Amino acid sequence: MKRDYYDVLGVSRDADQGEIKKAFRRVARECHPDVNPEDPACEAQFKEAAEAYEVLSDADTRSAYDRYGFDGLRGSQVPDFGQFGFNDLFNIFFGGGTFDSVLRDAGNGMWGAATGSAPPPRGEDIDLAVTLTLSESVFGVTKPIEVTSEVTCETCAGSGARPGTGRDTCPQCHGSGRMREVSSLGGFGQFIRTSTCNLCRGQGTIVNDPCETCRGTGRVRATRTVDVELLAGIADGQTQIVRGAGGAGAQGGRPGDLRVRVAVEPDEHFVRDGDDLIYRLDVTMIEAALGTVAYVPALDGDIEVTLRAGIQPGEVKVYRSRGVPALQGYGRGDLKVVVNVQVPRHLSTEQREVLEQFAALTGEANYEPDQSFLDKVRAVFRQ
Ligand SMILES: [Zn+2]
Ligand SMILES: [Zn+2]
């Protein structure tokens, strides 16, 4: 039993063209193969709606249907959408899935839908991870990285043909790489579908005598070592992309990319803050009180740091352009040396007595008020 076309689209008998079109699009959207892949019920529903839309969107067939029902359409040869695949049907009405371009040309009764010319498939992208020391990440390093992927077959240099033989023109598409299928829709004209040739996959040529090494594919799987130059200044969690260093493309396709994700090991001495490096310089309370010379093992050579007598905890010495090179742009960040004053945790009886004597000899004048410790620490980190 065929359902009434107005019921199928859920519109009233006096619906105008806009409402009919809208109703059909609603069914199409609900049944889109991307939403409901390979759902036979949906496919049947869509074909029913497409037929209803074809009849009701044409003034002549609609008035024949209104007056005589299905009998009125006998002479008009309603298209049999059953012969089309679900995706083809979407191409007929929506041209590759966009709901805004109905490709039917009422003027000449020709419908067209192109699946688009597919470029040769690109090689696969390869994701790898590498762990660097802080120093390597700051100054950059070249790391040999093992990559397993498809590579171009050396025997045939990627052609897929046995050495000494060539590729022949594809007998199916005669070298165009494209197929053109014309289906008759009876009185409704023709549906023309262009697609990539499935024999040569759009290349226009085929291999008759395949290379034995790669069995005609032009590629083999292999492990190779790629020297990846990791840029100075790269940070933990960043990914460096080496264009074209991924898998080889099939049939003349471009190679994929190599994507190297960087992890940076925590460093004993330094913390990275953007392009700045922060170093904690430990001095004893005696050294802080008397003054001292200390060494900072900066990544590009030691720095001699002179601490005046009476230096305070949290004081910061800034060494311009001794930090991390800017990954994009010029220059380097700063090295900030933060003074940390260590207080003895255990005292012998004798040490305690000496310190008590010292305390008796000192007063407020020895301890001038100072900038707040927290303000100094805050100043270390960029706002
Ligand atoms: Zn072909
Ligand atoms: Zn080969």
Side-chain angles (χ1 to χ4, degrees):
M1 265 298 278
K2 272 170 93 83
R3 286 210 295 151
D4 175 69
Y5 288 145
Y6 292 97
D7 289 348
V8 167
L9 293 179
V11 294
S12 67
R13 299 194 81 83
D14 53 9
D16 64 22
Q17 281 307 310
E19 287 172 71
I20 286 167
K21 197 169 182 173
K22 221 166 127 187
F24 175 51
R25 280 169 185 247
R26 181 179 47 73
V27 176
R29 209 169 279 125
E30 282 166 12
C31 294
H32 195 285
D34 291 347
V35 182
N36 290 295
E38 296 178 26
D39 180 345
C42 245
E43 181 168 349
Q45 195 191 342
F46 182 79
K47 285 178 176 173
E48 193 184 27
E51 186 185 314
Y53 174 71
E54 268 312 299
V55 171
L56 298 185
S57 62
D58 182 283
D60 291 342
T61 49
R62 184 179 178 180
S63 80
Y65 177 71
D66 285 347
R67 265 179 283 170
Y68 309 108
F70 294 114
D71 289 342
L73 301 169
R74 285 250 164 81
S76 340
Q77 285 180 291
V78 171
D80 174 14
F81 289 117
Q83 65 179 300
F84 292 107
F86 208 173
N87 283 310
D88 291 339
L89 267 177
F90 268 88
N91 284 331
I92 289 175
F93 287 100
F94 302 114
T98 62
F99 288 104
D100 296 317
S101 56
V102 177
L103 292 183
R104 178 175 169 223
D105 179 350
N108 59 14
M110 298 280 270
W111 291 346
T115 50
S117 94
R122 194 171 154 266
E124 63 178 330
D125 292 329
I126 312 275
D127 289 291
L128 287 170
V130 67
T131 301
L132 306 181
T133 65
L134 181 67
S135 175
E136 287 173 333
S137 73
V138 168
F139 298 112
V141 64
T142 299
K143 286 263 175 192
I145 295 179
E146 280 206 343
V147 182
T148 300
S149 70
E150 299 289 330
V151 297
T152 302
C153 172
E154 281 180 10
T155 311
C156 62
S159 74
R162 184 194 295 273
T165 70
R167 296 180 67 95
D168 300 316
T169 302
C170 174
Q172 188 167 283
C173 63
H174 308 290
S176 72
R178 319 265 313 143
M179 295 299 294
R180 197 164 176 269
E181 287 170 49
V182 180
S183 314
S184 172
L185 287 171
F188 283 79
Q190 290 176 311
F191 171 52
I192 300 165
R193 181 170 181 262
T194 345
S195 59
T196 304
C197 173
N198 59 4
L199 187 62
C200 64
R201 295 197 200 163
Q203 277 196 295
T205 56
I206 56 156
V207 170
N208 270 327
D209 196 359
C211 163
E212 278 177 2
T213 311
C214 62
R215 290 196 217 90
T217 62
R219 299 188 300 172
V220 289
R221 207 159 177 84
T223 300
R224 66 211 143 97
T225 303
V226 178
D227 285 328
V228 177
E229 198 188 323
L230 293 147
L231 298 171
I234 198 159
D236 187 68
Q238 287 185 316
T239 297
Q240 189 168 321
I241 296 171
V242 188
R243 298 263 174 238
Q251 294 142 348
R254 289 188 303 116
D257 297 333
L258 183 61
R259 301 189 292 219
V260 183
R261 190 181 162 84
V262 167
V264 179
E265 289 172 344
D267 190 84
E268 246 187 289
H269 303 289
F270 293 95
V271 171
R272 182 170 172 174
D273 176 36
D275 288 339
D276 292 342
L277 286 175
I278 297 165
Y279 179 80
R280 191 187 76 187
L281 178 59
D282 292 330
V283 296
T284 67
M285 67 177 198
I286 313 296
E287 288 172 325
L290 301 178
T292 188
V293 173
Y295 291 90
V296 172
L299 298 173
D300 51 351
D302 288 356
I303 296 176
E304 194 183 275
V305 181
T306 304
L307 301 178
R308 64 170 199 284
I311 194 141
Q312 301 295 311
E315 265 188 44
V316 181
K317 287 183 168 283
V318 178
Y319 297 87
R320 297 273 171 226
S321 300
R322 295 294 293 270
V324 183
L327 201 53
Q328 277 145 352
Y330 300 96
R332 284 172 68 176
D334 300 331
L335 170 64
K336 295 172 174 176
V337 175
V338 185
V339 175
N340 177 47
V341 175
Q342 295 175 302
V343 176
R345 289 176 188 278
H346 310 286
L347 295 174
S348 66
T349 313
E350 199 185 350
Q351 288 166 339
R352 174 172 283 277
E353 280 169 9
V354 174
L355 277 184
E356 279 166 359
Q357 285 170 29
F358 177 74
L361 292 172
T362 51
E364 253 177 47
N366 295 96
Y367 300 98
E368 285 167 36
D370 189 27
Q371 186 194 356
S372 141
F373 175 75
L374 279 177
D375 285 348
K376 282 187 282 195
V377 172
R378 273 189 210 107
V380 175
F381 295 96
R382 296 207 163 171
Q383 301 304 306

